[in-house]
Amino acid sequence: MSMEALFNQQGHFSVLHFDNVVRAFYAGDMTTAQPVLTAFQQHPDSWQVADQILEGSHVLQAKFIALQVLGKFIASRWKHLAQEQRLTIRNYIGSVIVSRSSNEATMQTEKAYLSKLNMVLVEIVKKEWPEEWPTFINEMVSSAHANLSLCENNLVILRLLSEDIFEASEELQAAWKTRRLKDQMVTDFGPVIELCHEVLSNRPSKKLVETTLESLSCFLKWMPPNVIFDTDLMPVLCSQIPSNAERAQRVDIMALKCCTEIAGRQDFPQKFQQKLVVLIQGVKHTIREMISMNGDITGLYRNENLNGEDIMYNYTLFVTTSLSCHGEAVAALDVQLLQQLHQDLLVLSTLDDDMEIWRMCAEYWVYLSSDKCSYMKQCNYIFRELRRITIGRIPNPDNVLLIDEEEDGIISREFVESSENPETFKITKHLLCNLVRMDVENDTESALRERLARNQTDSFVQWWKNLCQVSWSMGAIVGVLDPTQEFQLVNQCLADLDHVCVNSSDRIESIEPCILYIFSQYPNVLYQRQDLFSKVIGLVNKYLHDKETSIQKFAAHALVEICQGIRNNQALVRQDGGTMFLQDLLVHLPSLTMDLDVYQTCQVYHAIGCVLLTAPGHHEQHMQKLMDGLNQTLKMALYQTQQVESERLKTLTDVLRVNLAVCNSVNDIYESQLKEIYQELLTAYRFASEAGSNPLSNNFRERIKEQICLLLQTYIKSKHSISGNDQNLISPLLQEFVSSPPNKNDVSDIFATLIEKHLGNGEANVINEQLVRSVLEIAYFHVFERIYTEIKPDFASFYEKRSGFFRLVQAFIAYAFHELSTLLQEDKFTLIVDSILWGIQHPSHELSNQALEICSILLNRIAQVEDEDQQNALYSLYYMKILDIILHTITDYDRRTQFELQSQILAHLLELVQQGEIYTRLYPEGIGSNADYVQEHVRSKLMEIYPSLPQNQIDLVAQGMLEYSDDIARFRQDLIDFMADFRSSDDFSNDVILDQQTELELLGSLTR
């Protein structure tokens, strides 16, 4: 099947044939139908048969495709048509819309089709209005009076136009055009407001009122203040909100959303503040008539028949928006209103069923309790109650143990690594910290102890929830109080918890996790209470031996938190560095890890490593005690060959993982352990490089190689610089890595880290030059060249190696530019630059961004070259190559998220020639200067990319790009406007044609 299949024997377009092709495509016949549809969509004259398809087709998807083609034509080539043709198309689309929207039943059954027609009309309006269609808005308002359904659709069209003008991306529409359309919209909008007012006053139908309010909500984002406040629009809006919850419907809640849009604007002049406060007062009064804030709001919230959830959500949004944006005005003009709104928010904050309502309230409370709020001191009366509410609303943080009681009374426990509401916890934590800072009467401690005291009478679920919220709240305010106050607070709460344990001995299994959580958050208090050390070790040991994995995870994480806290607390480090705690842990190490899997074992070793790092002196002895058992296990797995191969390989993998965990925690203290197992690491790597007996064996061997590489890289990262002794340890391992690299990630990351440590901290002058040369030669010839050869044929093969590869390239340019430009021949150094340019064109934006950043560093390095001849040679070789690639990618619409980096590099390139900072001649004979040559080159490249644009427009753009290259803000805005103009200009281009298969699939999803 081909494009010709769409034409009959007389050569006329056949709607019947087109329908058959579309049916075949959506029936799954991609092979034959898709090429025909793709060819049709890309054909420059396909728009001319759109009317035939819309009139004669019986397939909805076919009409969608016709409208899509017509829409693209309007967006890009509309001005090529004669005025008479444009008027004909405009009238035709208008008449189809009127015919479909004048009947309520038709409008509902063809809703998706009508929506697409509306969008096509909006595209026409943006091209024609106001110059060629000055009466558009008046026509829309006038025709709206014909019938209710037509009025409804006309308001939808006006809303779509408003959204396109006021909310359009700057990439899709030039700034100058957006400003012009905005000004015209404001000028012509009076009749639309009158229409909205008429509908809301008469309420001819629920559906029409709802559509009017939805459109009005959009208009209110930009509507002039005088239209809002100097007319009776506000009273009409408030009148739409019923005073009885039983009559509240979605249409009425939309009125509340409109009021929220007004309250959220911060561009109103001072003179309208009084009227704004009146609006806020009016909405508050209406809602209070609807909802008794002193009654059972939870019951109303849960009543689905009364829309209680929607009412309270939107009222919360209205109040928090009003106070966040205009709280100062409310406080200055109506203190009683401010108090009433705060009281309403306090009540809404107690709704346990809705975390989203609490999040909105908490965000406002954070503002109110901060120094940014000018009227905070007027509100001191609420903070005592707010502390108690906040403690009771805090969601669980990360890494806690959650406990529940099943219907049969059995208690279940689950370790939760990630909070269900991380953002809400963050906001609540911020609020609690603010409330503690302003607490001069020690009310925080009272609030926490009051909640603990409630445990005596509550049900188990509420009892446990109270307990957890006290411990989570204490964890949230770590570091806010001074050390003395903190010590007193923790000790008092721990004493209360001990009291709870005595009075609720049957629930001690639920209390102890809270105690351990508090210890994990306050290791400084733990360290000052030597009597608690044994208790902590006992609790950790107990939970590490629990049969439930989740309990083990919780205990291991708590131990890590405690040990990291000791490491990070400089006061403790200065005392004795946790030596006593370290000795306790080393003694109990075998017992602590005996029932753990490798993941928890790694956590325990990592935790002990944190304390070991702080212990004064004797690091090697402590390290030996910590690692002795593991080292013996490593040697047994390597040298006792009678073991089953899979068991040996798994043991090696596990031991290496634990070593990696320790290295991460002790940093360069790991050197003694590296020396201890150095020979075993070499042996293990060679053993893993051998072929395995089966796929499982090969997987284990690959993981062993990866672990050893990662271990060495982690050690190198921990070093401030690389010494000769380190090099003696590292070099043999590097040789092994290069001769048999891991298949997945390779070894480029290790060499990047090594180069950074060799040359990245300004100490290259004291390092053996031969050593540097050796590392760079291996990195270039044995790693860079090999990986680049593997990955450059396409953008998909060996994908895992690419991030590390570009990190190595960045290390070359950032830290070894001078050394490599001296060491390598010209063609070899050019290969590095070519890899950067290849990376810039990579479809993965993450990798492409990485390459762009490297390119920026490269240009800076060239500019810093002191030898003028060398600098000139580098510019001659690479300037034009880089310029071409950047021009090509910056005009690619699919790479618009990279525009900031691209434009920064392009401006830098153009500024170099504009300011005369390149002294070598980039141009051939006959051209006046580098700036003239580059401007002409940019102009010709833009002509290639945008062949349909007028030459004078291209000339102005190329000239402006050079002239404003030293003003990055102006440079970027002009580029954005230019590319937005192109996307709505004279011709189709590959930059704007979407992938046809994806587009057709999206069309299908609209009609399912």
Side-chain angles (χ1 to χ4, degrees):
M1 192 181 293
S2 63
M3 182 70 175
E4 287 71 28
L6 301 180
F7 296 85
N8 59 27
Q9 294 180 350
Q10 288 74 39
H12 298 139
F13 181 80
S14 171
V15 175
L16 177 62
H17 290 166
F18 186 71
D19 280 358
N20 290 335
V21 173
V22 174
R23 285 194 188 97
F25 177 83
Y26 286 102
D29 183 7
M30 302 288 184
T31 306
T32 55
Q34 189 207 325
V36 178
L37 292 180
T38 300
F40 174 77
Q41 287 182 296
Q42 293 184 349
H43 195 283
D45 295 327
S46 58
W47 65 274
Q48 296 185 19
V49 298
D51 59 334
Q52 298 178 43
I53 298 171
L54 297 181
E55 291 292 333
S57 176
H58 298 287
V59 179
L60 184 58
Q61 292 95 331
K63 294 182 179 182
F64 273 127
I65 293 171
L67 287 172
Q68 197 170 59
V69 167
L70 183 59
K72 286 183 177 179
F73 172 80
I74 292 167
S76 58
R77 294 164 60 195
W78 179 253
K79 294 297 184 181
H80 279 194
L81 295 178
Q83 177 62 28
E84 185 178 348
Q85 285 180 290
R86 300 204 300 268
L87 185 60
T88 300
I89 295 173
R90 188 178 94 189
N91 290 340
Y92 174 75
I93 293 297
S95 66
V96 176
I97 289 174
V98 169
S99 68
R100 293 299 185 276
S101 61
S102 293
N103 180 279
E104 178 69 26
T106 304
M107 192 166 80
Q108 293 306 314
T109 56
E110 299 188 4
K111 189 174 182 179
Y113 176 45
L114 183 60
S115 176
K116 187 65 178 176
L117 283 164
N118 289 341
M119 287 189 279
V120 170
L121 181 63
V122 168
E123 283 298 326
I124 293 174
V125 172
K126 288 192 296 181
K127 299 289 184 180
E128 295 283 279
W129 177 70
E131 290 86 356
E132 306 296 336
W133 197 356
T135 60
F136 164 71
I137 287 183
N138 284 330
E139 288 178 25
M140 295 297 290
V141 173
S142 176
S143 62
H145 290 87
N147 60 66
L148 298 184
S149 58
L150 183 59
C151 179
E152 181 182 332
N153 193 63
N154 283 7
L155 284 167
V156 170
I157 292 170
L158 290 168
R159 185 181 78 238
L160 291 173
L161 179 62
S162 172
E163 290 170 348
D164 263 21
I165 292 174
F166 288 90
E167 301 173 36
S169 166
E170 62 180 8
E171 301 165 344
L172 301 177
Q173 189 164 272
W176 65 268
K177 187 172 184 180
T178 298
R179 287 192 298 271
R180 181 172 61 83
L181 290 174
K182 284 180 179 180
D183 291 343
Q184 194 65 41
M185 194 79 166
V186 171
T187 301
D188 291 0
F189 211 66
V192 179
I193 295 301
E194 292 176 8
L195 176 63
C196 293
H197 186 286
E198 182 181 345
V199 172
L200 296 179
S201 298
N202 298 325
R203 295 179 69 94
S205 79
K206 174 184 171 183
K207 189 75 170 59
L208 179 56
V209 171
E210 184 177 330
T211 300
T212 303
L213 289 169
E214 286 178 356
S215 298
L216 193 57
S217 176
C218 178
F219 304 151
L220 285 167
K221 294 176 182 177
W222 53 263
M223 198 181 291
N226 63 299
V227 177
I228 298 173
F229 295 109
D230 290 343
T231 66
D232 57 355
L233 177 62
M234 287 199 310
V236 170
L237 269 178
C238 287
S239 70
Q240 305 300 308
I241 307 172
S243 58
N244 189 327
E246 293 182 1
R247 294 194 294 108
Q249 300 174 345
R250 184 175 184 275
V251 61
D252 306 305
I253 293 170
M254 275 304 306
L256 183 54
K257 290 181 179 180
C258 289
C259 295
T260 303
E261 287 293 346
I262 298 173
R265 286 182 54 176
Q266 295 179 282
D267 59 339
F268 295 140
Q270 184 79 16
K271 65 179 181 178
F272 292 114
Q273 282 194 348
Q274 180 67 56
K275 292 183 178 181
L276 180 63
V277 172
V278 170
L279 169 67
I280 297 170
Q281 173 72 273
V283 173
K284 185 270 306 176
H285 177 74
T286 304
I287 295 296
R288 279 196 164 197
E289 285 189 349
M290 184 193 306
I291 304 171
S292 173
M293 287 298 174
N294 297 320
D296 179 21
I297 66 165
T298 301
L300 176 61
Y301 176 88
R302 294 174 180 171
N303 192 327
E304 296 180 1
N305 296 327
L306 299 182
N307 293 302
E309 182 177 347
D310 280 347
I311 294 169
M312 292 185 194
Y313 175 88
N314 283 284
Y315 181 54
T316 305
L317 182 60
F318 172 78
V319 175
T320 53
T321 301
S322 299
L323 292 177
S324 296
C325 298
H326 307 288
E328 290 184 19
V330 176
L333 298 172
D334 194 335
V335 175
Q336 185 180 6
L337 173 61
L338 180 68
Q339 293 173 349
Q340 291 170 341
L341 292 174
H342 281 161
Q343 190 58 44
D344 288 354
L345 282 187
L346 286 172
V347 173
L348 291 165
S349 295
T350 63
L351 272 172
D352 284 345
D353 291 3
D354 199 314
M355 193 57 72
E356 185 60 24
I357 286 179
W358 165 247
R359 184 192 60 78
M360 289 190 288
C361 292
E363 284 180 339
Y364 171 70
W365 296 134
V366 166
Y367 167 70
L368 180 67
S369 58
S370 70
D371 295 336
K372 297 177 183 178
C373 182
S374 61
Y375 56 92
M376 177 182 67
K377 292 181 180 178
Q378 294 176 247
C379 309
N380 285 334
Y381 60 92
I382 69 169
F383 292 134
R384 185 178 187 279
E385 183 178 354
L386 183 57
R387 283 189 191 93
R388 285 149 181 79
I389 292 173
T390 305
I391 292 170
R393 294 308 314 276
I394 188 169
N396 68 280
D398 297 341
N399 301 302
V400 294
L401 196 65
L402 299 185
I403 300 174
D404 201 0
E405 186 176 33
E406 306 294 342
E407 292 181 2
D408 54 6
I410 296 176
I411 295 175
S412 63
R413 299 177 292 184
E414 179 187 4
F415 178 64
V416 179
E417 296 185 54
S418 300
S419 172
E420 294 179 359
N421 302 283
E423 284 304 311
T424 305
F425 173 78
K426 183 178 178 181
I427 294 165
T428 308
K429 176 179 177 178
H430 191 174
L431 172 58
L432 265 177
C433 291
N434 284 358
L435 293 172
V436 171
R437 288 189 187 97
M438 64 171 59
D439 181 12
V440 295
E441 299 177 352
N442 206 24
D443 184 53
T444 303
E445 180 181 328
S446 300
L448 290 167
R449 297 185 67 191
E450 285 171 19
R451 183 157 288 269
L452 281 176
R454 290 168 54 181
N455 284 327
Q456 308 305 315
T457 57
D458 288 333
S459 66
F460 172 79
V461 173
Q462 188 59 50
W463 171 87
W464 170 80
K465 186 178 179 182
N466 291 338
L467 204 65
C468 287
Q469 287 174 330
V470 168
S471 61
W472 298 340
S473 297
M474 290 180 66
I477 61 174
V478 171
V480 178
L481 297 170
D482 66 55
T484 303
Q485 292 175 311
E486 195 169 76
F487 185 78
Q488 177 185 337
L489 173 66
V490 175
N491 276 298
Q492 189 58 63
C493 287
L494 286 174
D496 289 349
L497 282 169
D498 284 339
H499 180 70
V500 174
C501 286
V502 172
N503 293 332
S504 308
S505 57
D506 57 327
R507 294 179 174 180
I508 196 167
E509 293 290 328
S510 304
I511 300 171
E512 287 179 339
C514 295
I515 295 174
L516 187 55
Y517 179 79
I518 293 172
F519 283 150
S520 72
Q521 302 301 303
Y522 289 90
N524 55 322
V525 175
L526 173 66
Y527 201 76
Q528 294 175 64
R529 289 275 307 273
Q530 301 294 324
D531 59 305
L532 294 178
F533 266 86
S534 59
K535 183 171 185 174
V536 171
I537 292 293
L539 282 177
V540 170
N541 210 343
K542 174 183 175 180
Y543 285 143
L544 288 177
H545 290 84
D546 197 282
K547 294 179 180 179
E548 293 184 40
T549 304
S550 62
I551 307 299
Q552 294 176 339
K553 287 181 178 178
F554 171 67
H557 184 270
L559 181 62
V560 170
E561 289 282 307
I562 292 168
C563 294
Q564 286 180 339
I566 291 175
R567 178 190 64 185
N568 297 335
N569 192 310
Q570 292 303 309
L572 302 185
V573 173
R574 285 192 294 271
Q575 289 174 32
D576 76 346
T579 303
M580 188 191 75
F581 193 28
L582 174 62
Q583 290 170 350
D584 250 358
L585 290 170
L586 290 174
V587 168
H588 289 90
L589 178 59
S591 171
L592 290 172
T593 59
M594 63 184 294
D595 292 328
L596 303 182
D597 63 22
V598 66
Y599 178 76
Q600 276 90 52
T601 301
C602 287
Q603 285 186 295
V604 171
Y605 273 83
H606 177 87
I608 299 174
C610 290
V611 184
L612 187 152
L613 185 64
T614 68
H618 310 296
H619 288 146
E620 290 191 16
Q621 294 94 315
H622 293 318
M623 181 66 74
Q624 184 178 1
K625 287 181 182 179
L626 176 63
M627 306 302 290
D628 185 58
L630 276 176
N631 293 345
Q632 294 304 317
T633 303
L634 175 62
K635 291 175 182 177
M636 289 174 61
L638 274 175
Y639 304 128
Q640 292 187 8
T641 56
Q642 69 272 19
Q643 293 185 34
V644 178
E645 181 187 34
S646 60
E647 292 180 1
R648 291 178 67 199
L649 292 169
K650 184 180 185 306
T651 300
L652 287 172
T653 304
D654 291 348
V655 170
L656 289 168
R657 285 180 64 182
V658 177
N659 269 273
L660 181 58
V662 173
C663 186
N664 270 312
S665 63
V666 301
N667 299 331
D668 59 353
I669 293 175
Y670 187 77
E671 181 177 352
S672 62
Q673 168 66 3
L674 184 62
K675 290 178 180 176
E676 179 68 26
I677 63 169
Y678 168 71
Q679 192 59 51
E680 281 69 33
L681 291 178
L682 278 173
T683 304
Y685 198 91
R686 290 164 184 163
F687 171 58
S689 298
E690 298 170 1
S693 57
N694 55 63
L696 180 61
S697 169
N698 285 330
N699 285 339
F700 269 122
R701 291 171 186 273
E702 194 61 29
R703 285 164 62 186
I704 289 170
K705 291 164 68 174
E706 290 173 0
Q707 289 291 329
I708 295 175
C709 288
L710 190 54
L711 178 61
L712 185 64
Q713 183 182 345
T714 304
Y715 172 70
I716 294 170
K717 281 182 179 178
S718 72
K719 302 287 289 185
H720 177 65
S721 61
I722 304 298
S723 66
N725 290 334
D726 290 320
Q727 191 64 31
N728 292 334
L729 284 174
I730 293 170
S731 292
L733 281 169
L734 291 180
Q735 293 293 342
E736 293 294 333
F737 296 166
V738 169
S739 63
S740 179
N743 291 330
K744 187 176 180 181
N745 296 321
D746 219 291
V747 293
S748 48
D749 257 328
I750 297 177
F751 279 92
T753 303
L754 197 56
I755 291 169
E756 291 167 4
K757 292 299 177 181
H758 263 316
L759 304 171
N761 47 28
E763 298 183 8
N765 58 320
V766 299
I767 297 175
N768 187 311
E769 290 186 11
Q770 186 58 39
L771 198 64
V772 173
R773 183 183 182 93
S774 172
V775 170
L776 291 177
E777 285 180 342
I778 295 173
Y780 182 90
F781 292 105
H782 297 284
V783 181
F784 168 82
E785 281 192 335
R786 174 176 54 78
I787 297 178
Y788 189 44
T789 302
E790 290 175 349
I791 66 176
K792 72 177 179 181
D794 57 63
F795 289 124
S797 303
F798 305 99
Y799 191 85
E800 298 87 353
K801 298 186 178 186
R802 295 171 187 233
S803 179
F805 171 79
F806 283 114
R807 187 168 167 236
L808 176 61
V809 174
Q810 183 163 344
F812 281 163
I813 301 300
Y815 304 110
F817 179 83
H818 171 73
E819 289 79 5
L820 282 173
S821 59
T822 304
L823 173 67
L824 300 177
Q825 295 179 359
E826 181 183 298
D827 61 328
K828 295 295 184 182
F829 191 84
T830 296
L831 199 63
I832 298 177
V833 178
D834 288 344
S835 73
I836 298 170
L837 301 182
W838 177 84
I840 290 172
Q841 301 171 81
H842 203 288
S844 164
H845 286 198
E846 181 181 355
L847 296 176
S848 182
N849 284 341
Q850 207 174 345
L852 283 166
E853 289 170 359
I854 299 169
C855 184
S856 180
I857 297 171
L858 172 65
L859 291 172
N860 290 333
R861 289 290 177 268
I862 294 175
Q864 292 166 3
V865 172
E866 295 180 358
D867 186 312
E868 187 174 319
D869 290 339
Q870 184 186 7
Q871 186 185 67
N872 288 340
L874 291 168
Y875 278 131
S876 296
L877 285 169
Y878 307 126
Y879 179 92
M880 297 304 295
K881 290 174 70 172
I882 296 172
L883 178 64
D884 285 347
I885 294 297
I886 297 299
L887 280 172
H888 173 73
T889 54
I890 201 171
T891 52
D892 182 350
Y893 184 66
D894 289 336
R895 296 180 181 273
R896 57 194 179 279
T897 57
Q898 302 174 294
F899 178 76
E900 189 169 335
L901 271 171
Q902 295 166 337
S903 58
Q904 177 184 322
I905 294 172
L906 182 57
H908 183 187
L909 287 166
L910 299 181
E911 187 180 8
L912 285 172
V913 294
Q914 182 72 1
Q915 301 298 329
E917 295 178 16
I918 297 179
Y919 304 114
T920 189
R921 192 175 70 181
L922 301 173
Y923 54 91
E925 294 287 347
I927 296 181
S929 67
N930 281 335
D932 292 339
Y933 173 67
V934 169
Q935 181 175 320
E936 175 59 28
H937 185 79
V938 169
R939 191 194 68 79
S940 63
K941 283 293 178 184
L942 292 178
M943 284 296 294
E944 289 177 16
I945 297 168
Y946 304 123
S948 61
L949 288 182
Q951 183 172 328
N952 61 344
Q953 185 177 355
I954 295 287
D955 291 345
L956 286 173
V957 170
Q959 181 181 347
M961 287 169 71
L962 267 78
E963 286 182 0
Y964 297 113
S965 57
D966 61 343
D967 182 349
I968 189 64
R970 172 69 183 270
F971 181 84
R972 282 175 174 156
Q973 188 58 56
D974 285 354
L975 264 180
I976 289 169
D977 285 353
F978 165 67
M979 290 187 286
D981 273 346
F982 163 71
R983 278 186 278 275
S984 60
S985 66
D986 306 323
D987 207 351
F988 286 112
S989 163
N990 290 332
D991 294 271
V992 275
I993 295 178
L994 299 172
D995 177 81
Q996 300 299 331
Q997 182 175 356
T998 303
E999 192 170 349
L1000 291 169
E1001 290 171 356
L1002 287 173
L1003 277 176
S1005 67
L1006 287 173
T1007 56
R1008 291 189 186 113

